[in-house]
Every structure is written in C-alpha cells, then in structure tokens.
Amino acid sequence: MLDTTRPIVWVINGHERYGLARAMQNLVGAVAQSGQATRIVSLQTGDCVDRMRQAGFAVDVLDIPKPPPPGRGLRGKISQVLAQFTHATRFAKRLADRLETLSPLVIHWQSPNLSTLCPRTAQRLGALPVWEIPNVIGGDRWRLAARLLAPVMRHTKTLMLANSAFTAKSWHGLGVDCRVFHLGADQSIFDRQRIEAVTRESMNLPSDAIVFAIVARLEPSKGQLLFWESLLPFIERGENVYLLLLGGPLESEYVDAMQRLAAQTKVQERLRLLGHVAAPEKYYEAVDIAVNARIDAEPFGLSVIEAMMMGRPAMVHALGGPSETVVDGVTGWHVSRPTREAWSAAIDHVLAERNDWPKIGAAAYERAVGEFTCHRQAERYLAYLADRLGDKNA
C-alpha cells in the first residue's frame, strides 16, 4: 500500500505543450481521484502553468532556472546532456529545499531536460524518482544521450516509464529499470454520449462524404501534406473524400504548399483547415477515419486513442506507439511506410472495406475504453509505484 498522505510531486518546466501537457493532466487527475495526494510544481511560469490552473489544478511556481533545452544534432544533444549535469549540480539542493516541507513520496517528471535535476533532487529527499519518458532518447545509432543518462538512472534507482515499447527500446541493454507505460485518454471528455457534436451541416460537408481527419500540429513531420498528396488521386477518380486538419499554425509555407496543391487541382473545398481547436472531441461525429500520418516514429500518439475512444477507426504509420495501440485490420489499419505509394495503397484498401467501418469503429472503442483510459493508466501507475516502493521498504 502506498502512503496516500505523502504527495506524488510532478515537476515541470512550465512551458510543456500539446500531448505532453495533456498526458500529464490526464494522469495527475486520475491519480488524484484515486485518493493519492498529488502536487504540481513548476520551475518557471509559462503556458502550461496557465493551462493546468484553468483545468482546476493548483500549480506552485518555484522560480528556479530551467535546465537547458534539447540541442540540435548529435553534438547539440550531447552538449545539452552535459549542461544538464552542471545545472543539476547547481540547483538540485535548491529544489530539494523548496520541496522538503511536502515530504514527497515520489518525484515525477516528463521533460527530458529534467532528467538529471529531478533524480538528484529525489535522492536528497528520500523520494522515488519516476521519469515518464515521452519520446526516444538518444535516437542516433550510438544512443549516446541514453548512455550518458543511464548511470544517473541506475545510481538514483529511477523508475523509468516509457510511453511505448518503441520508446523503451532506446534503453535496452543499459541496465536501467524501464517499463512500458501506455498513456490514457480522458473518457469523461471523449464520450460520444455527452459531447455537443459539431455537425457536418455546420461545416458545409456533404452527408454522404467520406471524411478523413488528422489532429496534429501543422508541420512537415506530421505528414499532412504527404497524406493530402496521397488522397488527391482518389478525388480525381470520383471518390467523395474530404480531409479535415485540426491543428495550427495556419500561416506557414507548409500550409501554403497544401493550399497551392488544392488550388492547382481545383479541389479547395475538399481540404478543410480548421486551425487549433480547444475541443477536438466535438468533431469526431463528422469524421469517418482518423489518421496519424507522422513521417518519423510516433512515440505514442495520444490523438489515436482519443479517436478510438470516439468510435473511429484509425489509419496509422506503423512505426512507434500507434502500431501497439491500433490492431491492424481489427481497430484500424497499419501503413507500412511513410510514402505516397504506401498511403495510396492503404487508402484504396480502406475504401474497399467501408462496409466494415462500423464494426471496426466499435472494436476501436472497446479497445480504447478497456486499455487506454486515464483511470486504467493510473491503476497501472500506482501498481508500478507499489511494486518499487515495496522493494525499497523490504
């Protein structure tokens, strides 16, 4: 049994965004609902602090300098890890002094730049350090960043929770305690029975259209342009298909390229750029197929399980987390490579199976609510903590 009076303290930079912030909000909320004490502390003020407070969470801002951000390229990433060691040497005691009155049971963090400061702070306080790893660390063939951090993880006995088996692979063979920890979506939000849905009629979409949707930032790595290029031949052959893009920013050369392509082929009405939407769950009733077209490996893909929770099949590039959450041919479809040819073949296959979409969507819903709710995630999380803290106290 865990000591529910001692809090699990989430440490953040203050600027976490998008999926990272949503994942934290989901887990903190579900753990708190279980009766476990929780606290969120931020090194600095920032957008994430504002969003968490708006969502009803109390956040303490400590005004401690943030560790350096991730560097670019192999040399930059190595320099950043070394700079983190220097930062931790300077500020771990200061952070521990600020948190000492809380008597934390666990120090939990996500952002990789906190991965030297937080375990050293936890060690000073006698708390269990827990790193919820959001992406692959040391993606180069030598895994240098992971190799530099592994001794810290071993020395501080950090419990490492990777958001997918794909993410966990970057730590294989390094002697650390790294476990697979799939994320969860908030079923109280992604609930078809409770939302006020945005209708096709309100978006001037034909009732008989086939609507694909991608919920992601508009940037090249997310693959929206590649998917749009793959979809155009189907429009030319007479398929009544549309693409909704939920995400921003809308002003960029990347977006301009998609719009130019739509104009050249005179199908502007088939590409709908909705920008960032605060409540994507409201749009799924107007969608047939959710798509994750990320070109590189998606570490987890929170939007995939959110779509599944709304009863929508998902087409995903089968590299990374989506290959673990989507069961090919059962709850959606895997696309083997991030190429136009592979996406075109997959779209053709999916359109041929349109009579099965309701069955596949129902299976997606059952898998999502059975495996990927934030409450199910919190159960796994607390079980991991009980296991490790039991070993520590034995």
Side-chain angles (χ1 to χ4, degrees), residues 162-225:
N163 61 6
S164 65
F166 179 83
T167 300
K169 285 181 182 178
S170 59
W171 297 94
H172 285 182
L174 297 181
V176 297
D177 183 8
C178 186
R179 311 184 190 188
V180 177
F181 183 59
H182 289 139
L183 305 184
D186 190 339
Q187 191 178 1
S188 69
I189 294 175
F190 292 87
D191 182 348
R192 297 176 68 181
Q193 305 304 316
R194 298 175 60 180
I195 65 168
E196 184 179 343
V198 175
T199 65
R200 290 192 175 193
E201 182 180 12
S202 68
M203 291 187 286
N204 197 28
L205 287 170
S207 59
D208 61 346
I210 298 169
V211 180
F212 295 86
I214 301 176
V215 181
R217 296 190 306 279
L218 292 172
E219 60 179 49
S221 69
K222 299 297 184 179
Q224 293 99 336
L225 176 57

Side-chain angles (χ1 to χ4, degrees), residues 22 189-190 246 274-283:
R22 292 211 318 277
I189 294 175
F190 292 87
L246 285 74
L274 304 183
H276 172 73
V277 296
E281 67 275 6
K282 294 183 178 182
Y283 290 82

Side-chain angles (χ1 to χ4, degrees), residues 15 19 43 49 70 83 98 107 113 119 138 160 178 214 217 231 236 240 256 282 286 327 361 388:
H15 64 262
L43 301 186
V49 174
R98 297 293 299 272
I107 299 291
N113 73 320
M160 302 164 66
C178 186
I214 301 176
R217 296 190 306 279
L231 200 60
E236 294 173 359
N240 192 21
D256 291 345
K282 294 183 178 182
V327 180
R388 276 298 305 273

Side-chain angles (χ1 to χ4, degrees), residues 36-287:
Q36 179 68 46
T38 61
R39 294 289 289 267
I40 302 173
V41 299
S42 182
L43 301 186
Q44 295 283 312
T45 191
D47 292 345
C48 186
V49 174
D50 296 337
R51 284 194 298 272
M52 294 299 288
R53 286 174 173 169
Q54 290 170 5
F57 297 92
V59 184
D60 300 320
V61 178
L62 303 181
D63 194 25
I64 290 176
K66 294 183 290 188
R72 293 187 176 182
L74 180 58
R75 181 175 297 180
K77 291 177 180 178
I78 294 172
S79 298
Q80 181 241 356
V81 171
L82 296 177
Q84 287 178 16
F85 281 95
T86 301
H87 181 276
T89 299
R90 294 182 61 192
F91 294 106
K93 182 180 183 303
R94 182 171 166 184
L95 179 57
D97 289 344
R98 297 293 299 272
L99 299 181
E100 186 175 13
T101 58
L102 298 178
S103 186
L105 181 69
V106 169
I107 299 291
H108 182 120
W109 72 98
Q110 294 170 291
S111 298
N113 73 320
L114 298 173
S115 55
T116 53
L117 175 65
C118 285
R120 291 188 178 184
T121 299
Q123 193 174 41
R124 286 178 175 272
L125 294 171
L128 173 66
V130 176
W131 183 10
E132 185 185 350
I133 309 171
N135 48 42
V136 169
I137 306 298
D140 57 280
R141 61 177 177 172
W142 300 282
R143 297 189 295 165
L144 286 177
R147 290 180 184 278
L148 287 170
L149 290 172
V152 177
M153 303 299 111
R154 292 195 300 264
H155 177 69
T156 57
K157 296 181 173 58
T158 294
L159 173 59
M160 302 164 66
L161 302 178
N163 61 6
S164 65
F166 179 83
T167 300
K169 285 181 182 178
S170 59
W171 297 94
H172 285 182
L174 297 181
V176 297
D177 183 8
C178 186
R179 311 184 190 188
V180 177
F181 183 59
H182 289 139
L183 305 184
D186 190 339
Q187 191 178 1
S188 69
I189 294 175
F190 292 87
D191 182 348
R192 297 176 68 181
Q193 305 304 316
R194 298 175 60 180
I195 65 168
E196 184 179 343
V198 175
T199 65
R200 290 192 175 193
E201 182 180 12
S202 68
M203 291 187 286
N204 197 28
L205 287 170
S207 59
D208 61 346
I210 298 169
V211 180
F212 295 86
I214 301 176
V215 181
R217 296 190 306 279
L218 292 172
E219 60 179 49
S221 69
K222 299 297 184 179
Q224 293 99 336
L225 176 57
L226 175 62
F227 186 78
W228 175 233
E229 291 172 338
S230 305
L231 200 60
L232 284 173
F234 294 91
I235 298 175
E236 294 173 359
R237 83 180 192 189
E239 296 285 0
N240 192 21
V241 293
Y242 287 71
L243 176 60
L244 300 186
L245 299 180
L246 285 74
L250 292 179
E251 296 181 357
S252 70
E253 174 56 32
Y254 183 60
V255 172
D256 291 345
M258 283 188 281
Q259 292 178 318
R260 284 196 301 269
L261 189 57
Q264 290 167 5
T265 51
K266 296 182 172 57
V267 292
Q268 296 96 319
E269 78 281 358
R270 303 295 185 97
L271 176 66
R272 303 297 179 88
L273 294 152
L274 304 183
H276 172 73
V277 296
E281 67 275 6
K282 294 183 178 182
Y283 290 82
Y284 281 109
E285 286 301 307
V287 171

